[in-house]
Amino acid sequence: MNILDRLFGRREPSSSAIAKERLQLVLVHDRVKLSPELMETLKSEIIAVISRHVTIDEQSMEIKLTSGRGYQKLTADIPIVGPRDAAPKRKRK
C-alpha cells in the first residue's frame, strides 16, 4: 500500500471480505442454477457481441452475478477503449 492509498483511506479488501464475496457468488450461482460452463458461454457471447461495435479491454472487464431481494442481477463492467473501425482501410498505391 502506498502513501496515497493511506492518505485517502483506500485499503485492500481483507481476506474475510474476499471470502464473503466468493460465498455470495456461489450462493447466487446455486439459486440461478447457472453452471460455470454456461456462465463462461454467456460471458464469451457478451464479449463477442460488444466487440463487433467497439474495442474493449478484456483484461479489465468484470462480469458477475449478484442478488437482491427476490432477484438476481448480471452486472457487466466492460471498459471501452474506443470505436471499432467499420471496415479495414485499403492501402493506396
Side-chain angles (χ1 to χ4, degrees), residues 23-90:
L23 181 59
Q24 287 174 335
L25 184 63
V26 169
L27 290 173
V28 169
H29 279 267
D30 285 348
R31 288 183 188 146
V32 177
K33 300 185 188 313
L34 285 179
S35 67
E37 294 82 20
L38 181 57
M39 188 66 188
E40 282 302 314
T41 301
L42 186 61
K43 187 175 176 179
S44 298
E45 290 181 3
I46 289 170
I47 292 169
V49 168
I50 293 174
S51 294
R52 283 187 221 150
H53 305 285
V54 293
T55 303
I56 62 173
D57 181 5
E58 291 187 34
Q59 302 300 319
S60 301
M61 64 178 281
E62 184 178 354
I63 296 177
K64 62 183 178 181
L65 282 172
T66 57
S67 65
R69 294 182 179 178
Y71 64 90
Q72 284 74 41
K73 182 170 52 174
L74 178 69
T75 305
D77 183 10
I78 304 171
I80 296 173
V81 176
R84 179 168 296 282
D85 291 334
K89 295 179 181 177
R90 293 183 178 181

